[in-house]
Amino acid sequence: MPKYFTLLLLCMLWLGASAQTWEIGGSVGGTGYIGDLNTNNYLKPGGGYGGVFIKRNFNPYLAIRLNYVYGQISGADSTSSVQQLRQRNLSFIDPLKELSMVLEFNFMSYVPDAGKNKYTPYVFLGGGITGYAPRAWYNGQLFSLRYLQTEGVAYGSKTLVIPFGAGFKYNIGGKWTLGAELGYRYTNTDYLDDVSGVYKGVFTNDTARRLADRSGEINGGVNIGTPGSQRGDLKPRDFYSFFGLTFSYTFVTSKCYY
């Protein structure tokens, strides 16, 4: 991802050439996931994340932010309230590495340690790229599901994402800001969880066959999946989310806009 980071940073410098403040910070919190193993609970936690960002503030309302986030999402049919999904018995964990750039808009004029407002809600929208690698535990070992091609599909290791969300920031003292943020990512893949379409009929090895249909592990050795029958929810895209706290320091110059 270094080449993407360099390109986005150059874009930020070009766009922010006339701005007066830089801001650096970090974030930490939980992750969520919406896909074939969690179809409708948008707030169901699935792991944790940590990140860093650098921001260029154009004025008290508008900024552009470059983010790097590392987190993990997960899902398991065993936690579902739907009996049919529990019988399917699939599970996964997926480490995510996201690099994104978002445009951030404050609803109130906000300049730490200088503006009249101590807080503001805000929204953001942007674009980015995320590296992903779904895995599953089996017999005490962690297997990469991409290489096993459990559905006979050769999908990639990166996906384009559209980050969007909202937050609330508060000036806790001096040039320090503490915030709370909820952001969703619309992805360009349906394989964050390695599940999408139908059960495959022929496998290259026994491990792939066993991880493609794990229903027999809880159904007395009888698998419910038959070749060509539905395995995923057949929706075209997966989502994931980050929700947590942000903290940052703003370098307000003598030529600032306040």
Side-chain angles (χ1 to χ4, degrees):
M1 288 190 178
K3 62 181 180 180
Y4 299 106
F5 178 84
T6 302
L7 179 60
L8 289 174
L9 184 58
L10 289 174
C11 289
M12 174 181 282
L13 291 171
W14 177 73
L15 289 170
S18 62
Q20 301 298 323
T21 62
W22 283 101
E23 187 174 343
I24 60 173
S27 59
V28 64
T31 64
Y33 142 82
I34 294 293
D36 302 80
L37 275 70
N38 179 36
T39 58
N40 52 28
N41 188 347
Y42 284 81
L43 296 177
K44 185 176 181 179
Y49 80 93
V52 293
F53 63 84
I54 181 171
K55 186 190 299 184
R56 193 66 154 154
N57 296 286
F58 300 118
N59 57 52
Y61 295 95
L62 194 63
I64 192 166
R65 187 176 82 196
L66 180 66
N67 310 281
Y68 176 78
V69 181
Y70 178 84
Q72 180 174 286
I73 58 173
S74 63
D77 284 337
S78 60
T79 65
S80 176
S81 60
V82 180
Q83 182 179 2
Q84 182 180 359
L85 296 182
R86 292 198 302 271
Q87 290 178 333
R88 185 178 60 178
N89 196 40
L90 295 175
S91 63
F92 81 100
I93 59 173
D94 193 346
L96 304 176
K97 299 177 182 179
E98 178 193 294
L99 184 65
S100 63
M101 180 176 284
V102 300
L103 192 65
E104 188 176 297
F105 176 76
N106 298 326
F107 286 99
M108 301 167 62
S109 175
Y110 183 78
V111 182
D113 198 34
K116 63 180 180 179
N117 295 312
K118 295 279 290 184
Y119 61 87
T120 181
Y122 65 93
V123 293
F124 64 89
L125 174 68
I129 186 168
T130 295
Y132 67 104
R135 304 165 184 176
W137 287 100
Y138 179 67
N139 285 343
Q141 297 185 53
L142 191 61
F143 289 89
S144 172
L145 297 173
R146 174 187 297 112
Y147 296 111
L148 294 176
Q149 296 189 15
T150 56
E151 291 188 359
V153 176
Y155 55 87
S157 61
K158 297 180 178 65
T159 179
L160 297 176
V161 297
I162 301 176
F164 61 94
F168 184 88
K169 62 181 73 171
Y170 184 83
N171 181 207
I172 58 176
K175 299 177 178 63
W176 291 95
T177 295
L178 179 67
E181 183 173 290
L182 171 62
Y184 287 95
R185 272 67 173 170
Y186 178 82
T187 77
N188 193 40
T189 182
D190 194 30
Y191 281 100
L192 290 183
D193 47 24
D194 190 61
V195 183
S196 178
V198 299
Y199 285 97
K200 182 181 174 182
V202 179
F203 297 92
T204 56
N205 62 71
D206 189 59
T207 301
R209 179 184 63 81
R210 291 178 181 274
L211 289 176
D213 186 357
R214 307 190 65 176
S215 57
E217 297 175 21
I218 61 170
N219 293 313
V222 179
N223 289 337
I224 63 173
T226 57
S229 64
Q230 183 175 338
R231 185 172 186 258
D233 62 9
L234 302 183
K235 294 180 181 178
R237 301 289 185 269
D238 291 331
F239 285 76
Y240 66 91
S241 62
F242 295 135
F243 51 92
L245 299 177
T246 65
F247 46 95
S248 64
Y249 182 86
T250 303
F251 298 89
V252 182
T253 70
S254 59
K255 297 180 180 180
C256 190
Y257 39 62
Y258 60 85

